[in-house]
Amino acid sequence: MIDLTGKRAVITGASQGIGAAAAVALARAGAKVAFDFKSASAEAERTADEIRAAGSEAIVAQGDCGDPAHIDDLAGEAVAAWGGIDVWVNNAARLFVRPLVETSDEEWHGLLRANLHGYFYGCRAAAMRMSRAGGGAIVNVTSAARVLAVPGFSAYIAAKGAIEALTKTLALEVAAQGVTVNAVAPGAIDTPLNANAYTPEVRRTYEHRIPAGRIGTAEEVAGAVLFFATPAARYVTGQELVVDGGLTVNGAVGHAQD
C-alpha cells in the first residue's frame, strides 16, 4: 500500500528540510517528482540527484510560491511531461519570529505570501486538475505550533491555522471527485528553517518537554506525508496528523504521587 509506482507528484519548497525528505520518500516509493525552490540552487540539485538515484524522474523549477503564475507553471510543467498530477504537497514556508506589536504590515503580508497564499494557489491548481482526472491526494504541511501556541510566532501560526481550516473545507468540496485533502503538522524538527531559532537553550528546552526526548528529523515527517499520498489513506480526508514526539499532548508538570 506504499507503492506509488507510476504516480506523479508535485511538492513545493523541496530544496532542503522536510520538502526534500518528502520528495525523496515519494521517489523511493515509485513516484515521479516535480518540485520547486526559491533560491537554494545547490540544495535543489542535490534533491533532484537523490530522486534520480532512487530510480525516478525529477522536474526542478525555480520560483516564488507566493506567485500564482509560478504555481500554475509548475503544475503545467508536470502535466506536460507526465500527463497529470496524482499527488500535490504544499510545503514551502519560511519562519518569522517577532512579537505581533513589532511586526510591520510588510513583514506580515510578506510572511503570508508563501506561507498561506502559496498554499491556496497550490490547492487550487491541484484540486482543479485532480477533480477533472477523477482523483488524487493533496497534502498540506501545517505546524504543531498551531496546537501549542508559541509567542513571537503570530504571523507564522496565523498562516498555519488558516491552512488547517483550508484543508478541512477543501476536503469537503472535492471528496466526491475522489480527491483527498489532509495535513501534516510537524512539531520541533531539525531543518534549515529552524537553524537560527533553535539556540542551544531552545534545544535543551525541547528535549526536556518532548516525551520522546529529542527533536525530530525531516525524514520522520516525510513518512507521514508519504502515508497520506498512498492508497493506505484513500478513506482519510480532512484530517491533520501531528508529528511531534508527543509535545502537544504533554501536560506533565511533576505532580506529587499519592
Side-chain angles (χ1 to χ4, degrees), residues 116-199:
L116 175 57
H117 301 161
Y119 280 62
F120 161 62
Y121 303 141
C123 281
R124 181 175 61 184
M128 288 172 57
R129 290 165 175 81
M130 291 176 181
S131 294
R132 295 171 187 156
I138 298 172
V139 185
N140 293 322
V141 179
T142 55
S143 173
R146 183 199 64 76
V147 183
L148 187 66
V150 181
F153 278 44
S154 297
Y156 180 80
I157 293 176
K160 295 301 185 181
I163 295 164
E164 193 262 349
L166 172 64
T167 298
K168 291 181 180 297
T169 307
L170 181 59
L172 299 178
E173 294 177 357
V174 296
Q177 286 74 50
V179 181
T180 61
V181 189
N182 292 289
V184 173
I189 307 296
D190 252 327
T191 69
L193 181 73
N194 300 316
N196 292 330
Y198 284 9
T199 65

Side-chain angles (χ1 to χ4, degrees), residues 43-63:
E43 291 84 351
E45 190 53 43
R46 185 160 52 245
T47 299
D49 288 342
E50 290 190 50
I51 291 170
R52 295 177 183 125
S56 189
E57 298 178 27
I59 292 174
V60 186
Q62 185 171 12

Side-chain angles (χ1 to χ4, degrees), residues 198-225:
Y198 284 9
T199 65
E201 183 180 0
V202 168
R203 289 180 174 275
R204 286 191 296 270
T205 301
Y206 270 133
E207 289 164 2
H208 175 71
R209 292 284 309 281
I210 297 170
R214 61 177 178 82
I215 292 173
T217 68
E219 289 71 22
E220 288 168 323
V221 180
V225 173

